[in-house]
């Protein structure tokens, strides 16, 4: 898969995530935007659309995505007689969990229908940033990278970018996350997947017994 060019965009993503987090603490109008979006979604939720949005949200389910990604990586490892595909598939859930859970516990923000919209509310809720949205980018990005030799370019790009957008829409519409939770999850997911794409997995030095394809 193509390696992202330049670090400037990664810097912009990191700055945007930091600015969003700071704005949620010190700029109250942004909290009102979250509440307005939640209230509008609550008032415009017919059953057929809700069902479709529930499916969108489930696309970002971490457990299922981890299982699929790991299974694909083991199939590729067996096919190519190399442990290389397993390394990024194994690192993705570790890095995602550490960053997402760390931010959630630090910010301690409630959900749209329980807990506080404010950051650092000292409640049991931990919803910022959205893990589902981040998962929809990270895991599908890793799958697109692993399956790149077997997929047409258009299919690979759709696999990499569409799921995250669908999860973003679904989880926000259903009120599982505030709008800014989803934005934060999207920014974090992009940072993680771009970092994973930068690693030269095919040429990374490994012991011969782990990479018999060489």
């Amino acid at each position: 898969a193509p390696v992202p060019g330049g670090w400037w965009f990664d810097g912009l993503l990191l700055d945007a995530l930091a600015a969003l987090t700071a704005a949620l603490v010190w700029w109250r109008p942004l909290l009102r935007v979250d509440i307005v979006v939640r209230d509008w979604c609550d008032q415009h939720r017919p059953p057929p659309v809700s069902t479709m949005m529930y499916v969108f949200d489930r696309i970002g389910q971490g457990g299922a995505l981890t299982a699929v990604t790991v299974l694909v990586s083991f199939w590729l490892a067996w096919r190519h007689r190399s442990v290389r595909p397993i390394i990024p598939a194994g690192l993705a859930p570790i890095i995602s969990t550490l960053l997402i859970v760390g931010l959630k516990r630090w910010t301690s923000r409630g959900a749209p229908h329980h807990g506080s919209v404010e950051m650092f509310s000292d409640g049991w809720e931990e919803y910022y940033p959205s893990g589902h949205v981040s998962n929809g980018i990270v895991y599908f990005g890793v799958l697109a990278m692993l399956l790149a030799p077997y997929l047409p370019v258009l299919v690979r790009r759709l696999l990499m970018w569409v799921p995250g957008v669908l999860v973003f829409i679904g989880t926000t519409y259903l009120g599982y996350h505030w709008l800014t939770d989803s934005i934060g999850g999207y920014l974090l997911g992009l940072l993680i997947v771009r970092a994973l794409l930068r690693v030269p997995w095919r040429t990374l030095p490994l012991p011969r017994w782990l990479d018999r394809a060489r």
Side-chain angles (χ1 to χ4, degrees):
V3 176
W7 288 92
W8 64 270
F9 188 68
D10 301 81
L12 286 179
L13 290 173
L14 185 59
D15 288 345
L17 181 60
L20 175 64
T21 306
L24 287 170
V25 177
W26 289 300
W27 195 50
R28 298 196 65 83
L30 190 56
L31 301 181
R32 289 197 289 273
V33 171
D34 273 332
I35 294 172
V36 168
V37 172
R38 178 203 62 185
D39 292 346
W40 185 92
C41 291
D42 286 347
Q43 296 164 14
H44 300 82
R45 198 175 286 143
V49 178
S50 295
T51 301
M52 181 174 65
M53 294 300 167
Y54 178 80
V55 174
F56 286 177
D57 175 74
R58 293 295 93 183
I59 293 173
Q61 189 66 33
L65 286 176
T66 301
V68 171
T69 306
V70 170
L71 286 174
V72 169
S73 72
F74 271 87
W75 173 74
L76 290 171
W78 171 81
R79 180 181 176 87
H80 296 283
R81 302 297 188 270
S82 173
V83 76
R84 292 180 185 278
I86 299 175
I87 301 175
L91 283 176
I94 295 174
I95 295 172
S96 293
T97 300
L98 288 175
L99 291 177
I100 293 171
V101 172
L103 280 172
K104 283 177 178 289
R105 292 184 176 178
W106 177 55
T107 55
S108 184
R109 190 189 197 193
H113 294 105
H114 55 84
S116 174
V117 68
E118 296 185 2
M119 305 280 270
F120 309 111
S121 55
D122 295 325
W124 60 269
E125 301 89 356
E126 299 170 350
Y127 281 84
Y128 175 86
S130 169
H132 270 57
V133 175
S134 181
N135 290 341
I137 300 172
V138 173
Y139 289 97
F140 283 98
V142 171
L143 283 172
M145 176 181 69
L146 293 175
L147 296 173
Y150 308 97
L151 300 176
V153 174
L154 177 60
V155 174
R156 187 178 72 229
R157 288 178 178 173
L158 291 174
L159 181 63
M160 179 171 287
W161 300 116
V162 172
V165 174
L166 296 182
V167 178
F168 185 112
I169 296 170
T171 196
T172 305
Y173 180 83
L174 293 173
Y176 294 160
H177 278 283
W178 301 104
L179 173 64
T180 50
D181 292 344
S182 297
I183 295 173
Y186 200 92
L187 293 171
L188 182 60
L190 282 178
L191 277 168
I192 295 172
V193 78
R194 284 175 64 86
L196 289 171
L197 286 174
R198 287 185 183 281
V199 180
W201 302 110
R202 289 188 178 184
T203 58
L204 196 68
L206 292 175
R208 179 71 179 179
W209 61 278
L210 289 176
D211 187 25
R212 295 184 179 180
R214 294 184 62 185

